[in-house]
Structure formats: C-alpha cells, structure tokens
Amino acid sequence: MVVEKYNPKWVEQFSVLKEFLEKNTTEYISIEHVGSTSIPGMNAKPIIDIDIVVEDAAQFLRLKEELEKICYVHEGDRGISGREAFDNENVAINIDHHLYVCVKDNAELLRHLKFRDKLRSSPELVNEYNKIKEEILAKVGADNRAGYVQMKETDYKWFFDKVLS
C-alpha cells in the first residue's frame, strides 16, 4: 500500500529517530519532522521524513562525519540543490525513514516547513489533500509509488502552489 490512513505512531517513531540522532550527533540547529507523517489526520506513505537543519556548509561536513559513524551513507543531493540525502539501510534503528540535511535558508527546507505548518493549522487543507491522494491512487493503483509521486507533482501541482502561496 502506497498510502495508509493517519497513524499516531508516526509521531512516536519520529521521536525515537530524533532521540537516536540527538544522542549520536551534535552538529545541527534542529531536527524537523516533515512530510505527510508529520501532519495530524494526513494519510501518508508510512515513511518518516526528517530534515536536519544546519547553519552552513562547514557544519554540514561535520554532521556528515557524525552521521557516517552511525552508518548513514551520503547520497548527494539527488537533484535537489541544497538538500543532502542519506541512505539508512545499515543504521541500527528499524524505522522506515528518509533523512535529509539542509542549510537553514535552503528553499526546499523552507517549503517543507511552510507546507507542514500550513496543513497542521488547517483541517480543511488536510481533508482536501487526503481526497487528492485518494484520487491519485484510484487512477494509478495502490502499489504504483512512482506513478503516485509523478501525478502528485504534475496534475496536482496547483494544490501545493495554493498551500505555499
């Protein structure tokens, strides 16, 4: 299943991941729960999205070393400038998550935080986004993650523009 009904355990999973990161790293400004799992009532892929915020490139390099010591593998920016991705396949914590590191003024980070905060404060937007996700799944199928992501980014770009305006 690509998308599941909202599950409050996602907040608990983020807390476990955040505590793990806080115990094993020091080079950051904040550790942010972003994406659909961070929004109460939002249906989501059951994968916790985390943005670690750093001051600058120098702090990023120090954090990168700390993350590598706990088995995260740097994968570059995956085509999104200023957002550094880390693979967690060998990390000693068994919670599905995506980990990114962003400099504090990075556009992608600011977009993630604004989107999260707007939806957290608007049950109407949460309901609208849940309906959009259902429409997409009905069109592409429940197990078509690539099709789901692509349709969300193309056919429903208007929704993100509305939320972020």
Side-chain angles (χ1 to χ4, degrees):
M1 181 81 132
V2 173
V3 174
E4 294 180 3
K5 293 287 185 194
Y6 177 74
N7 190 331
K9 80 175 182 181
W10 295 332
V11 173
E12 297 166 23
Q13 289 177 326
F14 170 73
S15 293
V16 170
L17 289 162
K18 183 178 181 184
E19 183 177 315
F20 173 75
L21 291 164
E22 288 172 340
K23 284 182 179 177
N24 290 286
T25 62
T26 59
E27 293 292 335
Y28 58 86
I29 296 171
S30 66
I31 300 171
E32 301 287 340
H33 187 187
V34 296
S36 291
T37 61
S38 72
I39 302 164
M42 179 60 63
N43 301 336
K45 296 183 297 286
I47 301 168
I48 308 302
D49 290 318
I50 299 172
D51 286 348
I52 301 181
V53 183
V54 294
E55 184 71 34
D56 53 28
Q59 188 174 40
F60 165 72
L61 292 174
R62 294 189 302 270
L63 176 61
K64 179 178 174 275
E65 287 181 11
E66 292 178 331
L67 290 170
E68 288 171 345
K69 287 179 183 172
I70 54 173
C71 298
Y72 282 95
V73 177
H74 183 229
E75 296 186 322
D77 67 11
R78 289 189 189 161
I80 299 176
S81 182
R83 185 195 79 174
E84 300 295 324
F86 286 81
D87 177 78
N88 57 45
E89 186 175 325
N90 296 313
V91 174
I93 195 161
N94 192 23
I95 297 173
D96 278 344
H97 65 289
H98 294 147
L99 181 72
Y100 304 100
V101 177
C102 303
V103 174
K104 68 180 179 182
D105 56 0
N106 173 265
E108 186 70 7
L109 168 69
L110 298 176
R111 188 181 72 78
H112 284 174
L113 297 175
K114 185 175 183 179
F115 188 81
R116 175 197 69 191
D117 294 346
K118 271 259 190 105
L119 267 71
R120 281 180 173 175
S121 67
S122 174
E124 296 82 17
L125 287 173
V126 170
N127 289 336
E128 185 175 1
Y129 193 23
N130 280 335
K131 287 177 186 167
I132 287 169
K133 290 180 177 196
E134 289 172 17
E135 288 175 20
I136 295 171
L137 290 171
K139 292 175 184 175
V140 303
D143 295 325
N144 184 352
R145 182 175 287 183
Y148 171 82
V149 170
Q150 182 175 350
M151 184 171 273
K152 193 168 74 166
E153 291 174 356
T154 56
D155 295 16
Y156 294 91
K157 183 182 180 301
W158 60 266
F159 177 76
F160 298 94
D161 293 341
K162 177 174 100 170
V163 171
L164 296 170
S165 66

